[in-house]
Amino acid sequence: LFSSFPVLQDAFMAMCPAVVRKRPADTTRVLTAYATEYVRRHQHEPFFLWVHYMDPHGPYDPPDRFRSVPGDQRVFCPSDPYWGAPPTDEHGDIILADKDRTHAESLYYGEVRYVDEAIGRVAAKLDALGLDDRTVLCVTSDHGEEFWDHGRHGHGQSLFNELTRVPLILTGPGVVRRTISEPVSGLDVIPTLASLVGIEPQPAWRGQDLADVVRQESSLAPKRPCFTQATNPIVARE
């Protein structure tokens, strides 16, 4: 209840701080509970389940067991003053001391580990129900985050690896366990998943069907171009 009504949080914290802690809702816990229950309910029929975790994402506020670096700021959210957004300079860049930057980055990686554990719980449910050998599981992300690697924090401002190189993990019937080092595109996810479950890819899909590649029945086309773009309006004005 408190996590859904920030004004209610403030009122109760003013009267009795021990009653509620000022923090965002734990969407990872809620999504994992829904996902595992969905799998249980639909275990005897074909299903498609898309679980969209918002962690790791601002505000960074992982559970205590995933916190590794001490710091004064429990929640790090550079885009929202409600959660204590740090000051910025005239270019919109965050002003933080080195120790605070290290702490902020540790909170992000804490959320990465938290989501990793959550995905493991969904996979474990598939295993417990005997579905793992007939279910295709795909784990990927839309982007990464920069933590002042090239002068800024966040994403959208550049095309460096920390922003554009994200995981694409596939497992399921016929998928060979190996690492593919050549770049592929997010556009390839839908036609590949469709092909792996026996659905003919649609002509309108612009991505490449990688089903034969992950089955190790063919090789990835060499020097295939993959496109991405930066969209940060602050950088665009400079």
Side-chain angles (χ1 to χ4, degrees), residues 76-93:
F76 181 73
C77 186
S79 60
D80 192 343
Y82 180 82
W83 300 112
T88 58
D89 61 19
E90 66 274 12
H91 302 294
D93 295 328

Side-chain angles (χ1 to χ4, degrees), residues 152-163:
R152 284 193 166 92
H153 166 269
H155 56 270
Q157 66 268 21
S158 72
L159 303 177
F160 290 106
N161 275 346
E162 60 266 21
L163 302 181

Side-chain angles (χ1 to χ4, degrees), residues 122-137 171-173:
V122 177
K125 175 61 73 173
L126 293 171
D127 184 35
L129 295 173
L131 301 175
D132 57 316
D133 61 348
R134 54 191 179 95
T135 302
V136 175
L137 177 64
T171 183

Side-chain angles (χ1 to χ4, degrees), residues 15-68:
M15 295 182 293
C16 185
V19 172
V20 59
R21 181 168 64 84
K22 187 175 181 180
R23 61 158 295 178
D26 191 346
T27 57
T28 293
R29 179 186 61 79
V30 174
L31 279 172
T32 303
Y34 274 113
T36 53
E37 176 62 14
Y38 182 94
V39 169
R40 186 192 68 79
R41 287 173 178 260
H42 296 272
Q43 60 180 300
H44 300 299
E45 61 189 52
F47 65 83
F48 172 80
L49 175 61
W50 176 30
V51 185
H52 188 162
Y53 287 108
M54 284 304 293
D55 294 324
H57 207 277
Y60 306 147
D61 184 21
D64 289 343
R65 67 184 185 278
F66 295 105
R67 293 172 180 264
S68 58

Side-chain angles (χ1 to χ4, degrees), residues 167-183:
L168 176 57
I169 303 169
L170 286 167
T171 183
V175 177
V176 178
R177 181 176 294 184
R178 66 190 180 111
T179 299
I180 298 174
S181 57
E182 295 86 358

Side-chain angles (χ1 to χ4, degrees), residues 75-215:
V75 179
F76 181 73
C77 186
S79 60
D80 192 343
Y82 180 82
W83 300 112
T88 58
D89 61 19
E90 66 274 12
H91 302 294
D93 295 328
I94 298 170
I95 303 172
L96 278 182
D98 287 345
K99 66 178 183 63
D100 295 324
R101 290 184 176 186
T102 301
H103 176 59
E105 187 172 7
S106 75
L107 295 178
Y108 173 80
Y109 285 115
E111 292 209 337
V112 172
R113 292 190 295 272
Y114 184 29
V115 172
D116 182 70
E117 178 191 75
I119 294 171
R121 290 178 58 191
V122 177
K125 175 61 73 173
L126 293 171
D127 184 35
L129 295 173
L131 301 175
D132 57 316
D133 61 348
R134 54 191 179 95
T135 302
V136 175
L137 177 64
C138 175
V139 179
T140 190
S141 178
D142 53 348
H143 60 77
E145 291 282 87
E146 178 187 352
F147 283 89
W148 302 279
D149 306 70
H150 293 88
R152 284 193 166 92
H153 166 269
H155 56 270
Q157 66 268 21
S158 72
L159 303 177
F160 290 106
N161 275 346
E162 60 266 21
L163 302 181
T164 61
R165 188 175 183 178
V166 299
L168 176 57
I169 303 169
L170 286 167
T171 183
V175 177
V176 178
R177 181 176 294 184
R178 66 190 180 111
T179 299
I180 298 174
S181 57
E182 295 86 358
V184 297
S185 171
L187 293 174
D188 303 334
V189 173
I190 293 300
T192 300
L193 292 179
S195 183
L196 286 173
V197 298
I199 298 175
E200 190 70 23
Q202 300 298 307
W205 293 347
R206 293 179 293 166
Q208 180 177 337
D209 175 8
L210 303 176
D212 288 344
V213 176
V214 299
R215 292 191 189 109

